[in-house]
Amino acid sequence: MALKGLDIFKLTPKTNCKECGNPTCMAFSMKVAQGAIPIEKCPYLTEDVLAQVSDATAPPMKTIKVGTGENEHNLGGETVLQRHEKTFVNKNIYAVTVSNAEGAKNEEVFASVEAIDYSRISERMYIEAVFAKYDEKGSKELYLELVKKAADTKRLVIIDCKDTGVAKAALELIKDTKPVLNGANAENYAEMSALAKEYDVVLGVAGNGIEELHDTIEKIEADGNKNLLIDLGTKSIKDAFANAVLIRRGAILGQDRSFGYPSIADVGGLAKGNRVLETALASLFTMKYGSIVVMENMSYSQALPLYGLRQNIFTDPQKPMKVEPGIYRLNGADENSVCMTTVDFALTYFIVSGEIERSGVPCNLLISDAGGYSVLTAWAAGKLSASSLAKFFEENDIEGQIKNRTLVIPGKVAVLKGEIQEKLPGWDIVVGSNEAVQIVKFLQDYK
Ligand code: SF4
């Protein structure tokens, strides 16, 4: 069927179309408008129409892929300004800075990249990127060495360099890792964009003021490059934050596609050596609206609150945070240690495990899949029951892994004791404390 432009909307198939599954073109169009079905499902659209309609129905902010393999990250793609409106889609990543400038503490930075790497609620918390800052007064050879070393850390590398010659040499060195080239501005955008296209990497664009930034992005887009990041700049904290908010509002509320790109916030550059200010700014730009938050360096005391904040902001408020079901051996517990159980709701897990650790009593904490609810809610919803526990014991071969046969259940579900006893013959079911705060005393008395 050769159809052109909006002629397709005149079609009214008697039965559902075998191509898109809809009864009419209008029904199909409604679903396209809601984002429920991609426009490409209709094979009768001409390429021109497809291009026009795709642009009009594209999300307000692009999702930009950076890095490669294990080290690939999606940035942007957000559809709302506030997390409580719906959800944020792609969490920001953190970078630390190495530089060929005099006095740069590069070894300390590389040591942090190695050291900060831990897991919380099934999420890996680590420094995802290295920001390689080029100082024109510094040595070019040293810069290239740093870029190579940054790539060897197996993190995303951001080549922050406005000199096209040096940028090309750096790209040539680590092109396979798909680094970000952060270097375009009003003067050099044509060469930088050509370079980014040649190496197929994302280009960071900066501007002296928001109008110049917008103009430069439009020019790069007109040249066919829409694989961009927006550098919020380091002129002043006020300017960088105003840029972040205006750009995101322009994209989401104003549907300004030239601002519909993720951003880079160099908070290390803004804080100028003040580590406390740097931490405060990193949390500010985690909330609004840095996609890559660049720090000078990162210590554990900075990482713990920042990653916790990020985890809070970038998880779906509709979905509870859960820990993985399994056996958590606390205080050096082994197969002969007593067992306790509670639900998989992350907050409950951390409170209960913290109290068990405080007691110093070796204990196998058994976490079953309780839907991510708290104890009483899980019980009321049928997610924590004698059957669910028996199923968990069977599926995880608890009896094969643990010789001890005492299981302490939360005091709030004492009512389940009899049923659990029936389902787990051979086990001594003990009713534990009502509140987590009583666990230390309970375990010490029990011992
Ligand atoms: Fe109409 Fe195209 Fe869907 Fe067929 S595939 S019903 S022509 S929109």
Side-chain angles (χ1 to χ4, degrees), residues 1 3 8 11 13 17 19-25 28 41-44:
M1 202 181 317
L3 292 159
I8 60 144
L11 275 182
C17 171
E19 303 287 357
C20 73
N22 289 287
T24 62
C25 300
F28 171 79
K41 275 269 173 197
C42 173
Y44 304 117

Side-chain angles (χ1 to χ4, degrees), residues 66-68 71 151 155-157 173-180 201:
V66 293
T68 183
N71 214 19
R155 304 297 196 271
L156 168 74
V157 181
L173 267 182
I174 59 162
K175 58 188 172 197
D176 294 341
T177 69
K178 291 281 165 229
V180 170
V201 295

Side-chain angles (χ1 to χ4, degrees), residues 110-236:
F110 282 123
S112 305
V113 173
E114 185 96 348
I116 296 178
D117 195 344
Y118 57 94
S119 174
R120 282 287 183 284
I121 322 179
S122 315
E123 186 183 332
R124 186 178 172 205
M125 310 294 197
Y126 70 113
I127 297 168
E128 290 99 347
V130 177
F131 190 73
K133 206 174 210 164
Y134 179 64
D135 182 342
E136 283 171 12
K137 290 184 215 121
S139 142
K140 179 185 158 187
E141 288 68 34
L142 172 63
Y143 182 71
L144 295 178
E145 256 173 52
L146 285 170
V147 166
K148 181 79 185 52
K149 199 166 172 193
D152 289 344
T153 63
K154 303 272 178 281
R155 304 297 196 271
L156 168 74
V157 181
I158 302 155
I159 299 170
D160 181 62
C161 175
K162 294 189 173 46
D163 180 313
T164 43
V166 179
K168 187 173 170 58
L171 282 169
E172 191 55 43
L173 267 182
I174 59 162
K175 58 188 172 197
D176 294 341
T177 69
K178 291 281 165 229
V180 170
L181 171 59
N182 188 41
N185 57 26
E187 283 84 50
N188 69 3
Y189 70 87
E191 297 89 8
M192 278 291 175
S193 182
L195 210 48
K197 284 200 279 184
E198 183 187 338
Y199 286 91
D200 190 22
V201 295
V202 176
L203 178 66
V205 188
N208 195 10
I210 200 148
E211 276 93 17
E212 186 184 290
L213 186 56
H214 196 269
D215 284 353
T216 311
I217 293 171
E218 276 184 328
K219 285 176 192 157
I220 297 173
E221 284 179 322
D223 182 40
N225 188 355
K226 293 189 176 178
N227 203 14
L228 308 176
L229 287 172
I230 301 177
D231 187 339
L232 301 173
T234 50
K235 204 165 134 198
S236 71

